[in-house]
Amino acid sequence: MTDPAFGDPLLDPLFTTPAAAVAFSPRRRLQGMLDFEAALARAEARAGVIPTEAVGPIAAACRAELYDLGELGAEAALAGNTAIPMVKHLTRRVKATDAEAARFVHWGATSQDAMDTGLVLQLRTFADGLDADLGRLDRALAELADRHRGTPMIARTWLQHALPTTLGLKAAGWLDALRRDRARLAAAGERLALQFGGAAGTLAALGPKAMPVAEALAEELDLPLPALPWHAARDRVVETATALGLLAGTLGKLGRDLSLMMQTEVAEAFEPAAPGRGGSSTMPHKRNPVGAAVLLAAAVRAPALVSGLLAGMVQEHERGLGGWHAEWQALPDLCRLVAGSAHQAAEIVSGLEIDAERLRADIGITRGLIMAEAVTMALGERMGRMAAHERVSAASRRAAEEGRSLRAVLEEDPQVTELLDVEALDRLFDPLNYVGAADAFVDRVLAGRCG
């Protein structure tokens, strides 16, 4: 029997991915612990701690499909964690085939060793799936930035029209943040390590064989061997959680920008169209930003999950009470949530529809007022910055009051036309002539100069 792709068939397809759902399914959680137990037996046999003959029967019983999840869960409710009943049922199953081998199940380990190492194995599997979507998003954003480096659009500050920019620079901004997130996740992943300390973090039960077993176990599982067990030091796990929280925020920023650009009154960009995507139950004309909604929902939910994991770091002495337990559902929930957001973001950007004409048209909504700074700087070189600022400010107020273009008002001012001829005004009122270092910034991001 295998787990269904989704635990919640109604909502999981919207908010997570099949790969993330499987990586953190109950059966996968159990298999992670069983993988630890099988590797432990192999490592201890290599170190001469248990008989080599015990490895086969133990490893053969370390298959999650052999166990009843409901039965284990009911016993975990009494035991306080899932590893205790797992070890009991594993031992019983091994004993049914080899009583001698059953003596060496879970030898010298503790419940948290199995659970934490199992979690690290789950996170490693999860990271592969997440990075595949992030890589796809990275490539789509890079292509968008390069293709639209010369596509002018309005930059908005405080939701108001500010100055011209380019769509390429906007996409490069999304990409730059994403690459920092990927770097953080990769760095956090490198610090996820084997958990193996025994009852109190000393591996006392293994005596002089402690380090040889630990080294062999790390090798068996292809995990880093930390300097010492980290039962109550949760920074390794929470570092991954905080990196995921930051990624959720980055994707939420992308979702916010795109949803605003999709507004009917703006209509500059659109999520990819597909049958049944973004429709309304009552309004046939609607094209809703459903992907952006997932990105925004994840950005809303992720901080609470991350804060709970941060709060759980304050653990007691060598093994914590409650804080460790708080991770068991919060971290998988966070992983599933962010995976769904990343997948939706990759889907959106890969098929994003851009209306370049509308982008340019929206630049003209203020009738040239957004070019006031450009004119001020040009005039300032000849009459001084303050005098130029006062003159252009007065012209801007008049243009707004009369519903006319700023250029038309300026052309009626002899002090302006004496210093700026028609060709100069043409240059100043061309948005692409006032995007500064936008192209250079795009180049820097595409060249990988993120920081």
Side-chain angles (χ1 to χ4, degrees), residues 183-197:
R184 278 187 285 261
L185 283 166
E190 290 175 0
R191 281 184 279 274
L192 289 171
L194 173 71
Q195 177 73 283
F196 186 50

Side-chain angles (χ1 to χ4, degrees), residues 136-190:
R136 191 158 63 102
L137 176 58
D138 187 302
R139 293 187 293 274
L141 286 172
E143 195 276 334
L144 186 68
D146 191 37
R147 176 159 44 98
H148 287 285
R149 61 170 65 238
T151 302
M153 67 175 294
I154 192 66
R156 297 171 172 94
T157 61
W158 288 37
L159 293 175
Q160 306 298 304
H161 282 211
L163 296 173
T165 186
T166 66
L167 178 58
L169 181 59
K170 194 173 191 72
W174 296 327
L175 176 60
D176 192 42
L178 174 68
R179 287 181 173 173
R180 288 193 297 276
D181 288 319
R182 295 185 75 187
R184 278 187 285 261
L185 283 166
E190 290 175 0

Side-chain angles (χ1 to χ4, degrees), residues 61 203 265:
L203 285 178
E265 297 84 354

Side-chain angles (χ1 to χ4, degrees), residues 148 151-152 167 267-268 353-362:
H148 287 285
T151 302
L167 178 58
E268 295 172 345
E353 298 175 18
I354 302 297
D355 189 336
E357 291 185 8
R358 185 59 181 260
L359 284 168
R360 182 175 279 277
D362 284 346

